[in-house]
Amino acid sequence: MSYRTIKSNKGSKTPGTYGKTINDIEKLSELELVTEIQNKLKNYRPQKVRRKLIEKDNGKLRPLGIPCILDRIIQQSFKQVLEPIVEAQLYNHSYGFRPLRSTHHAMAGVQSLINKASLHYVVDIDIKGFFDNINHTLLIKQLWNLGIQDKKVLACISKMLKAEIDGEGLLSPLLSNVVLNDLDQWVANQWEFFPLNKPFKSRVGELLAKKRTNLKEDYLVRYADDFKILCRDWRTAQKWYHDVRQYLKEHLKLEISLEKSRIINLRKHQSEFLGFTIRANKKRNKRVAHTGIKTNKKQKIKAEAKKHILKLNASPSSQNALLFNSFVLGIHNYFNRATHVNIEFSRLAYDLRTFMYNRLKSVGKYEHPSNPPPTYKKFYSLGFKTFKIANVYPKHLGGNDKFNNLRILHKEVHKLIHQTDKQTIDKLINKLGITMPMVKKINIYREQCGLELI
């Protein structure tokens, strides 16, 4: 199962320190692979990871660790065993790298607290070099406390950590959740799960009772090492800022970045979370969460879009058109939950319109989609023109990347499909020796293009 999971990952063909990929493992039989892993685990010594520098959102570079392929399969095996044990004990509002949870769930949690609970003060905490500064001894103790008490398993995990497997390892996301689960539970126990002297029939009665005490009202939403604590007033937020800073330092041996950590009043300023901006704007007699796209993220999207457009200009193939569609669809799917996404995307489209037209007018046909698919009719106005490149409509305009949207055609047949001059049509039919069954097929494409049948 671990082998199949690794094989389905695109990174399986990325070589580690020994230059081997999943293709080399494929040559082994099932029994040989199992025997190889069993022998390696008898005295497990993970190989040093291959380092590669990748660019962060802020332009800085950070090291990416690429373990060798056999170590990746072993890590995946460990993950499949450990994940169900750890998952059952993690905090409910921790959303990073967990099954059936995503960034959209984390954003929905924040928006719900702003809209329904009217919590407009946010404590933004940025942990300095989180993955590089995890205390390995403490992590092993945390795993023991969660019920993972097999000493051989813990010894193997310890060796993996010493092999400098950083935040990109297969086990690292799970282990990062283990580290910060202590913080989650500590924060939740201060208010959300604080035990009261007597039971209450409703959640409302319990909340009112807590508000009559000196407890600090708060709710935490976390995605990996990026988390926010939402409070009702500035004074409470200030207390939480200092308490969390102290807890991280004393209990988890982690430091926060003082430059990036702050308290934000969402009524006056916006906060940033997972590529989105969040602000509590006035609407009638209350305030609601307004979300958009981060400024630097918009700049990055524009730069990436221009790269795809230049690639299409240099090579107007169906593959490049589909890659551009895939990029746009990915952006749409991620940011479509923002409340002001329409305004944000309209501005992006306006900024790219001239660049796109000038680069693609020589390689594509700028037209109103003829016989547009149902998706296009559902989401877009037929009054707008779009480019048609290599017989593929952009995916975000209603086409798709299924095989039936791609056709390999002879150059002269392609001319015949789009030809409107009757004499030229007759010449091409005679030249190519087109038969009646072939004419029927060509007419299918001509009909899709809104042209007269031959």
Side-chain angles (χ1 to χ4, degrees), residues 6-23:
I6 294 294
K7 188 180 177 182
S8 65
N9 194 311
K10 289 180 182 177
S12 63
K13 295 187 178 177
T14 306
T17 43
Y18 281 90
K20 289 186 177 181
T21 65
I22 198 70
N23 296 331

Side-chain angles (χ1 to χ4, degrees), residues 79 83 87 95-99 101 131 167 173-174 176-177 223-224:
K79 184 186 175 186
E83 193 170 57
E87 180 65 27
Y95 298 98
F97 309 111
R98 293 180 64 185
R101 291 170 185 250
F131 288 109
L174 180 66
S176 70
N177 277 332
Y223 189 92

Side-chain angles (χ1 to χ4, degrees), residues 323-387:
L323 283 171
F324 177 75
N325 294 343
S326 178
F327 162 73
V328 173
L329 188 61
I331 298 298
H332 278 187
N333 286 342
Y334 186 78
F335 287 107
N336 64 3
R337 308 301 171 92
T339 57
H340 284 51
V341 69
N342 187 38
I343 298 167
E344 303 279 18
F345 280 157
S346 295
R347 286 172 184 165
L348 282 170
Y350 180 80
D351 291 343
L352 289 167
R353 189 176 300 158
T354 306
F355 181 87
M356 191 173 186
Y357 180 79
N358 290 336
R359 296 301 182 281
L360 299 184
K361 65 182 178 182
S362 59
V363 295
K365 194 173 180 183
Y366 192 58
E367 61 179 7
H368 292 285
S370 52
N371 192 25
T375 314
Y376 186 93
K377 292 177 182 177
K378 184 177 179 181
F379 293 110
Y380 300 95
S381 168
L382 299 179
F384 291 99
K385 290 184 177 182
T386 185
F387 280 99

Side-chain angles (χ1 to χ4, degrees), residues 10-161:
K10 289 180 182 177
S12 63
K13 295 187 178 177
T14 306
T17 43
Y18 281 90
K20 289 186 177 181
T21 65
I22 198 70
N23 296 331
D24 299 297
I25 302 296
E26 273 182 344
K27 295 171 186 175
L28 301 173
S29 68
E30 189 175 317
L31 182 61
E32 286 173 333
L33 178 59
V34 171
T35 307
E36 175 76 21
I37 290 171
Q38 284 176 339
N39 291 335
K40 191 163 185 178
L41 285 173
K42 285 177 183 176
N43 184 21
Y44 184 53
R45 292 177 183 274
Q47 304 300 325
K48 287 284 184 180
V49 297
R50 183 164 74 86
R51 290 286 178 176
K52 186 179 178 182
L53 293 174
I54 59 169
E55 191 178 348
K56 293 167 73 176
D57 285 343
N58 58 11
K60 293 180 180 178
L61 296 174
R62 74 174 177 88
L64 167 69
I66 305 171
C68 73
I69 190 67
L70 205 58
D71 282 337
R72 272 180 263 177
I73 293 172
I74 291 170
Q75 282 184 53
Q76 181 62 33
S77 303
F78 272 77
K79 184 186 175 186
Q80 286 169 191
V81 174
L82 299 177
E83 193 170 57
I85 301 168
V86 172
E87 180 65 27
Q89 301 177 69
L90 292 181
Y91 179 55
N92 193 39
H93 296 296
S94 165
Y95 298 98
F97 309 111
R98 293 180 64 185
L100 305 176
R101 291 170 185 250
S102 68
T103 52
H104 291 154
H105 293 115
M107 280 298 298
V110 173
Q111 286 176 264
S112 176
L113 290 169
I114 294 168
N115 294 343
K116 295 179 181 178
S118 299
L119 301 175
H120 300 152
Y121 289 86
V122 171
V123 182
D124 277 345
I125 301 289
D126 184 272
I127 301 173
K128 194 186 291 182
F130 173 67
F131 288 109
D132 298 326
N133 296 316
I134 289 175
N135 187 297
H136 295 171
T137 307
L138 181 62
L139 173 56
I140 298 300
K141 286 180 181 177
Q142 288 172 310
L143 286 168
W144 180 277
N145 292 335
L146 287 175
I148 299 159
Q149 298 179 355
D150 187 307
K151 291 182 180 179
K152 288 183 180 179
V153 170
L154 294 173
C156 287
I157 293 171
S158 182
K159 287 175 183 177
M160 288 177 191
L161 292 167

Side-chain angles (χ1 to χ4, degrees), residues 230-431:
L230 286 94
C231 310
R232 194 167 297 282
D233 55 69
W234 180 268
R235 191 178 175 185
T236 305
Q238 224 171 10
K239 286 180 183 177
W240 270 115
Y241 175 86
H242 294 294
D243 288 350
V244 169
R245 182 185 173 188
Q246 188 177 353
Y247 184 90
L248 287 169
K249 187 175 182 178
E250 292 180 1
H251 294 268
L252 301 181
K253 316 301 180 192
L254 295 168
E255 296 284 344
I256 71 167
S257 171
L258 297 176
E259 298 80 26
K260 296 178 183 176
S261 302
R262 60 182 69 86
I263 300 166
I264 296 174
N265 180 356
L266 294 178
R267 298 171 191 170
K268 296 180 180 179
H269 306 284
Q270 67 181 25
S271 179
E272 295 178 348
F273 191 44
L274 304 173
F276 294 87
T277 60
I278 309 164
R279 188 173 174 138
N281 286 348
K282 205 166 185 181
K283 186 176 181 182
R284 298 189 185 91
N285 59 345
K286 63 178 288 188
R287 288 185 179 269
V288 295
H290 280 197
T291 54
I293 306 172
K294 277 172 66 174
T295 305
N296 64 343
K297 197 71 180 174
K298 284 188 279 190
Q299 297 301 325
K300 200 172 180 181
I301 291 169
K302 275 197 277 189
E304 196 66 27
K306 285 181 179 180
K307 282 182 188 176
H308 280 284
I309 292 164
L310 289 171
K311 199 172 180 181
L312 271 171
N313 177 254
S315 175
S317 63
S318 58
Q319 185 181 1
N320 285 337
L322 291 169
L323 283 171
F324 177 75
N325 294 343
S326 178
F327 162 73
V328 173
L329 188 61
I331 298 298
H332 278 187
N333 286 342
Y334 186 78
F335 287 107
N336 64 3
R337 308 301 171 92
T339 57
H340 284 51
V341 69
N342 187 38
I343 298 167
E344 303 279 18
F345 280 157
S346 295
R347 286 172 184 165
L348 282 170
Y350 180 80
D351 291 343
L352 289 167
R353 189 176 300 158
T354 306
F355 181 87
M356 191 173 186
Y357 180 79
N358 290 336
R359 296 301 182 281
L360 299 184
K361 65 182 178 182
S362 59
V363 295
K365 194 173 180 183
Y366 192 58
E367 61 179 7
H368 292 285
S370 52
N371 192 25
T375 314
Y376 186 93
K377 292 177 182 177
K378 184 177 179 181
F379 293 110
Y380 300 95
S381 168
L382 299 179
F384 291 99
K385 290 184 177 182
T386 185
F387 280 99
K388 186 179 183 181
I389 296 170
N391 283 334
V392 179
Y393 276 121
K395 194 170 187 177
H396 65 291
L397 300 180
N400 59 52
D401 57 0
K402 291 182 181 176
F403 187 76
N404 61 10
N405 194 36
L406 307 176
R407 293 294 179 267
I408 299 170
L409 300 171
H410 189 280
K411 188 178 178 181
E412 300 297 329
V413 174
H414 184 254
K415 283 183 184 177
L416 182 58
I417 289 169
H418 294 284
Q419 190 55 249
T420 53
D421 183 67
K422 197 171 187 311
Q423 287 184 344
T424 311
I425 289 170
D426 291 335
K427 282 181 184 178
L428 286 169
I429 288 173
N430 293 328
K431 182 182 175 182

Side-chain angles (χ1 to χ4, degrees), residues 208-227:
L208 288 171
K210 285 180 182 178
K211 284 179 182 179
R212 288 193 292 269
T213 66
N214 292 325
L215 296 175
K216 303 188 293 290
E217 184 180 1
D218 78 291
Y219 291 92
L220 181 142
V221 177
R222 183 171 68 80
Y223 189 92
D225 62 327
D226 194 356
F227 65 91

